[in-house]
Amino acid sequence: MNIQHTVKERFLKYVKFDTQSDHSSPTFPSTAKQKILGQELVKELLEMGITDASIDDFGYVIGTIPANTSKKVAVICFCSHMDTSPDCSGENVKPIVHKNYQGEDLVLPDDETVVLRLHEHPDLQAQIGNDIITASGTTLLGADNKAGIAEIMDAANFLMQNPHIKHGEIKVLFTPDEEIGRGVDHLDLKKLGADFGYTIDGETLGSFEDETFSADGMQVKIKGQSAHPGFAKGKMESAIKIAGEIIAALPKNRLSPESTADKEGFVHPVNISGQVEGALIDFIIRDFEDHKLHEHEKELKNICENVLKNYPNASVTYRISEQYRNMKQVIAQHPQVSAFALLAIERAGISPKKQSIRGGTDGSRLSFMGLPCPNLFAGEHAFHSKQEWVSVQDMEAAVRTIVNLALIWEERA
């Protein structure tokens, strides 16, 4: 399959759009600037001949690559998100292409303290001879997830320009606000009209993920007892200090992000606020098995209750909210979705790497909304940081995988 790739050029253009989402914003999308990229993508889809490409008020970009086969083929959707993480600046991204990488340190010119070293980024070992794209040292790159967008756009362009390659109807979907967990809050699945989907938002070449964490949020609300600090002896029970003791009592060598890997879950405080009279701690709870989430929540409650034993006039209440669930619970009911993806990776000349995500994607929620949606590699690495990188060759391999996946669904129909 001879694809005249446009993925590199598209990616270098897209990363220059500042599309950071904002946790604190009450709007959807959380930042209007995401829609500026969305409008550019609609323009490019229309130029390809995708005549129904549009962006709605919520910022969702949807387009249809029409079927060109007489077979009845399931409608598949390829999805990536337009926003970049608020964890690191995405303003004025200046991408740099490091051609023919040979294992040397990559010193980023706008901040020479930001260096990509082979021993710190072991996946670079597989990139010898490839072209590595980084930012300039003061921002993230935006490969998460503009690599996925560029790959979908390149694949869509190829399919539209080569009508002799048979495929069913294909939906293109670009979402806002994935990085802050709101990516599909307002998506109309009936309007989308797909049967199965794939997010293109993974890391290492050849990786395929049909399993994510299950996730809950847990807010611990502490009610203390205030008193004038000059006359507080035997009276004051500071909610701030109680919160500090709860944080200090959390396990150090297990059940934390910094002490777990693979299939191990964790309890993680992400925000703390308060005064003497009252304090809030927000936790995220993660595990691959739902029942273990409940075990972690019970352990956290026990920690809080043990701390409160020393504060007879203080109290604590809890609010637990479901965030998302392990998409494997849905995807396992549709084994062809995973089987076809693994075959497509092989046909692209790559060894598949089936793995689990220690996190969630739009696909986690889409799966439970009725659109089984595992995750394919996009080639992005060190995301949410100034050391973020992607290789041109990995992006091209992702494009070949997307195209092969469209062909396989038609062949097996």
Side-chain angles (χ1 to χ4, degrees):
M1 187 184 303
N2 183 23
I3 300 177
Q4 298 299 312
H5 285 289
T6 62
V7 66
K8 172 185 170 184
E9 293 72 26
R10 292 181 190 277
F11 177 73
L12 293 175
K13 178 199 287 187
Y14 301 155
V15 296
K16 293 176 183 177
F17 286 79
D18 178 7
T19 59
Q20 281 185 292
S21 46
D22 180 1
H23 285 284
S24 64
S25 171
T27 65
F28 193 98
S30 64
T31 53
K33 58 191 176 183
Q34 295 178 65
K35 296 172 80 171
I36 298 174
L37 175 58
Q39 289 158 358
E40 171 64 23
L41 295 172
V42 169
K43 174 176 168 285
E44 293 182 17
L45 290 168
L46 291 170
E47 289 170 351
M48 291 178 199
I50 296 176
T51 57
D52 70 341
S54 64
I55 181 170
D56 66 15
D57 290 343
F58 295 116
Y60 295 109
V61 174
I62 297 176
T64 307
I65 303 172
N68 61 4
T69 178
S70 58
K71 290 183 179 180
K72 184 175 175 57
V73 186
V75 179
I76 59 171
C77 173
F78 295 110
C79 171
S80 288
H81 63 88
M82 296 180 290
D83 65 317
T84 59
S85 170
D87 295 343
C88 182
S89 173
E91 184 178 2
N92 193 27
V93 172
K94 293 185 279 187
I96 299 172
V97 181
H98 308 264
K99 293 185 177 180
N100 191 26
Y101 172 71
Q102 293 298 317
E104 69 276 15
D105 288 353
L106 298 178
V107 181
L108 305 190
D110 287 348
D111 183 348
E112 294 185 355
T113 66
V114 183
V115 183
L116 276 71
R117 298 180 176 87
L118 190 62
H119 71 275
E120 295 173 352
H121 298 267
D123 280 345
L124 282 171
Q125 186 65 55
Q127 302 293 341
I128 304 300
N130 287 346
D131 301 324
I132 306 299
I133 304 176
T134 68
S136 62
T138 58
T139 67
L140 48 67
L141 174 61
D144 179 12
N145 188 217
K146 288 167 184 170
I149 293 174
E151 290 153 9
I152 293 171
M153 292 292 282
D154 193 9
N157 183 63
F158 176 77
L159 292 172
M160 291 298 295
Q161 300 304 315
N162 291 272
H164 62 282
I165 295 178
K166 299 300 179 185
H167 56 79
E169 185 174 296
I170 299 167
K171 297 289 184 174
V172 172
L173 170 65
F174 301 126
T175 64
D177 284 352
E178 189 268 359
E179 294 289 1
I180 59 173
R182 306 178 199 166
V184 295
D185 280 5
H186 297 280
L187 180 65
D188 185 343
L189 277 186
K190 187 175 181 181
K191 177 185 175 183
L192 180 65
D195 299 306
F196 303 101
Y198 297 90
T199 51
I200 314 299
D201 193 15
E203 187 183 30
T204 307
L205 177 71
S207 62
F208 171 76
E209 297 151 327
D210 61 357
E211 182 173 23
T212 61
F213 270 145
S214 285
D216 281 350
M218 183 167 169
Q219 186 178 80
V220 175
K221 184 176 183 179
I222 304 157
K223 183 180 179 181
Q225 181 161 297
S226 182
H228 188 290
F231 306 91
K233 184 175 182 179
K235 300 174 185 177
M236 180 186 290
E237 296 184 1
S238 170
I240 296 173
K241 292 183 177 180
I242 294 170
E245 289 188 33
I246 290 171
I247 299 297
L250 294 173
K252 303 295 189 295
N253 299 316
R254 63 178 185 87
L255 210 61
S256 66
E258 59 269 33
S259 66
T260 54
D262 302 322
K263 289 295 188 75
E264 299 169 317
F266 58 75
V267 170
H268 180 44
V270 294
N271 188 58
I272 184 168
S273 62
Q275 299 82 34
V276 170
E277 195 167 43
L280 294 173
I281 313 173
D282 291 312
F283 290 88
I284 59 173
I285 319 291
R286 300 291 188 262
D287 209 292
F288 287 94
E289 298 179 44
D290 291 0
H291 76 273
K292 288 187 176 180
L293 284 184
H294 306 314
E295 291 174 7
H296 303 332
E297 289 157 5
K298 183 178 179 180
E299 181 168 352
L300 178 54
K301 287 180 180 179
N302 287 339
I303 289 170
C304 295
E305 299 297 339
N306 283 334
V307 169
L308 263 291
K309 287 178 181 177
N310 296 318
Y311 298 92
N313 297 307
S315 62
V316 62
T317 55
Y318 314 97
R319 187 180 72 183
I320 297 172
S321 55
E322 180 177 315
Q323 295 178 326
Y324 56 85
R325 288 294 178 259
N326 187 342
M327 62 185 178
K328 189 172 185 177
Q329 299 171 28
V330 175
I331 293 169
Q333 300 173 37
H334 307 277
Q336 75 276 24
V337 178
S338 297
F340 292 174
L342 295 169
L343 179 57
I345 293 170
E346 290 178 352
R347 285 197 187 177
I350 308 160
S351 297
K353 301 177 180 68
K354 192 174 180 182
Q355 51 196 40
S356 304
I357 307 173
R358 285 179 61 81
T361 67
D362 276 345
S364 305
R365 292 184 58 200
L366 286 170
S367 293
F368 284 90
M369 289 166 64
L371 185 71
C373 195
N375 191 42
L376 281 164
F377 72 96
E380 56 207 44
H381 294 268
F383 26 79
H384 300 196
S385 78
K386 295 175 183 177
Q387 296 191 357
E388 188 179 10
W389 62 271
V390 68
S391 89
V392 173
Q393 288 75 16
D394 284 3
M395 289 196 293
E396 291 175 350
V399 175
R400 296 197 304 274
T401 300
I402 293 167
V403 172
N404 276 303
L405 192 45
L407 272 59
I408 290 166
W409 276 94
E410 194 274 343
E411 290 171 13
R412 302 298 176 91

